[in-house]
């Protein structure tokens, strides 16, 4: 009893930290039973009742997160019916993003609002799933108990939807002058996202404009003032492991540390690259050193990256929500890749044999 009393407070402190940071570790019956048994044993030394409070908080956290997974968003299915595209495309009365919001700064702010909302639903255990999933693959085990990384998939899906929305908005415009205006508008939106520190939306917009159905519109691009776009592409240049982007991210992170307002604290990294960094950190470095000791340097580095992300996700969005704009961004119809090519060829006809064959097949 005396021994138990001497370290009961430390045990509670450790378990409290563990259950708050990684609640999913206790979602299966076995680990929850073990936790309750330990909590019960130290209850007699726990005068404040911290152990039972800790268990209650854990159950509440698990309940909240399972509810979020149940309310899975029904993601937009791309429009793929060729007839629909061919019939609806010429209607100039069709609603587009410019009819909802024509100010690039406001649209960038609303995109940032959505990003911060999505990021707030990503927890440390979601990020550590990458590591545990890799370990289970390496050990040829089927980890049926591991929670599926729904939150990561949902965020990745948002990136893809935004890219496809940008491409759809550009390709479905019939008149070249209006199409040029739309391309320049999205370039301005991406630039405002960069200034805010929202690199994920910026990358999604650039990816959308670099999709083949958009990139092939040479007559449109010839009218676009591309100087701004070149600057953006320079920031997202993949050479030297995205060196330019990493420099910009570092600058935004430093600004965030010394910032007085939430507006200057915003840092939203390119999420795919962030995940890849954790993946490679884990893959390249061994868990143990040649002498058998734990490779603490590796785990400190993974921990540091996750800690940075958690700091950035806690920033309160300084922009007011505009329901009309957000509704459009999240629900406006997006074309499938095939549908984008149809719309693109209708805007600017095929120029070479390969494109002519593609157009023939599509029709």
């Amino acid at each position: 009893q005396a021994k138990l009393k001497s370290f009961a407070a430390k045990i509670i402190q450790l378990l409290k930290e563990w259950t708050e940071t990684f609640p999913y570790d206790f979602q299966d019956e076995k680990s929850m039973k073990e936790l309750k048994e330990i909590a019960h044993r130290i209850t007699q030394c726990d005068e404040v009742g911290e152990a039972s409070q800790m268990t209650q908080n854990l159950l509440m956290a698990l309940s909240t997160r399972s509810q979020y997974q149940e309310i899975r968003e029904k993601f937009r299915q791309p429009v793929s019916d060729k007839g629909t595209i061919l019939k609806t495309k010429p209607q100039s009365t069709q609603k587009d993003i410019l009819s909802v919001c024509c100010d690039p700064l406001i649209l960038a702010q609303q995109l940032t609002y959505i990003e911060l909302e999505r990021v707030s639903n990503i927890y440390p255990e979601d990020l550590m799933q990458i590591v545990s999933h890799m370990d289970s693959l390496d050990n040829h085990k089927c980890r049926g108990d591991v929670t599926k990384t729904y939150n990561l998939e949902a965020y990745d899906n948002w990136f893809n939807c935004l890219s496809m929305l940008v491409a759809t908005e550009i390709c479905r415009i019939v008149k070249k002058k209006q199409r040029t205006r739309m391309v320049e508008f999205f370039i301005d939106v991406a630039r405002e996202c960069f200034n805010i520190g929202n690199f994920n939306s910026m990358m999604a917009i650039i990816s959308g404009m670099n999709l083949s159905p958009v990139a092939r519109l040479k007559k449109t691009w010839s009218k676009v003032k591309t100087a701004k776009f070149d600057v953006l592409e320079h920031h997202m240049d993949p050479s030297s492991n995205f060196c330019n982007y990493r420099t910009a991210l570092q600058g935004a992170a430093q600004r965030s540390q010394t910032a007085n307002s939430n507006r200057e604290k915003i840092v939203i990294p390119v999420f795919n690259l962030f995940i890849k960094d954790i993946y490679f950190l884990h893959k390249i470095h061994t868990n143990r050193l040649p002498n058998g000791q734990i490779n603490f340097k590796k785990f400190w580095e993974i921990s540091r990256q996750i800690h940075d992300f958690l700091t950035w996700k806690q920033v309160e969005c300084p922009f007011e929500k505009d329901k009309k704009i957000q509704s459009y961004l999240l629900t406006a119809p997006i074309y499938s890749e095939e549908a984008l090519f149809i719309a693109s060829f209708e805007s600017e006809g095929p120029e070479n044999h390969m494109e002519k064959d593609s157009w023939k097949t599509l029709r």
Side-chain angles (χ1 to χ4, degrees), residues 140-157:
H140 305 290
K141 287 179 189 168
C142 178
R143 291 288 296 273
D145 60 322
V146 172
T147 308
K148 286 181 181 173
T149 52
Y150 166 70
N151 295 342
L152 302 187
E153 286 163 22
Y155 195 35
D156 191 45
N157 202 319

